[in-house]
Amino acid sequence: QVQLVESGGGWVQVGGSLRLSCAASTSISSFNAMGWYRQASGDQRELVASITRIGTTVYTDSVKGRFIISRDNPKNTVYLQVNSLKPEDTSVYYCKAERYGDYWGKGILVNVSS
C-alpha cells in the first residue's frame, strides 16, 4: 500500500515562505505524476502544481511565479516551495501520486495570516 506523508506546513505571515514535503513509502519514479492540491474550507479541492516522471511541471495560474514543485527521486520526496504567500493561499494542502490509481496523503494545513 502506497503511503504519502506531507510535512512542512504551519502558520506564516503574508509574504512569507514555506517548503512542503511529500515523502512516499515507495519509489516515486514508479508514478506517472505527482502533484499538490489544496482545499480551503467550503471549497472544492483544486490542483496547485504537478510534476511528471520526466519533470514536466504544471501550475495553476494563481501560484505561477510564486510556487515551485520539484522532486528528489533518491529521497522519494516531492517538494512544493511556496513563496510570497497570500491570505487566499490558506488551505489544507494534499499530496497526490498517480499510477494505475490515485494515492493521497492526509493533508497538511498552511495558514497565512496578515
Side-chain angles (χ1 to χ4, degrees), residues 1 36 46 50 64 69 102:
Q1 183 71 13
W36 286 93
E46 64 169 355
S50 66
K64 286 180 180 176
I69 189 170
D102 294 340

Side-chain angles (χ1 to χ4, degrees), residues 4-95:
L4 303 173
V5 179
E6 301 97 338
S7 62
W11 291 70
V12 63
Q13 290 188 327
V14 169
S17 299
L18 290 170
R19 189 175 77 157
L20 308 183
S21 300
C22 171
S25 60
T26 187
S27 172
I28 63 172
S29 298
S30 68
F31 299 121
N32 296 324
M34 296 189 72
W36 286 93
Y37 289 70
R38 65 186 181 187
Q39 186 170 18
S41 179
D43 291 345
Q44 290 187 328
R45 194 171 297 187
E46 64 169 355
L47 171 68
V48 176
S50 66
I51 185 167
T52 68
R53 182 187 293 136
I54 62 172
T56 303
T57 57
V58 173
Y59 296 91
T60 192
D61 286 345
S62 62
V63 308
K64 286 180 180 176
R66 300 190 297 125
F67 290 11
I68 302 171
I69 189 170
S70 62
R71 57 192 295 157
D72 187 332
N73 288 347
K75 293 184 178 180
N76 293 321
T77 301
V78 173
Y79 301 99
L80 185 69
Q81 179 68 40
V82 297
N83 301 317
S84 302
L85 284 164
K86 305 175 181 180
E88 52 264 41
D89 294 318
T90 295
S91 283
V92 177
Y93 284 71
Y94 297 89
C95 179

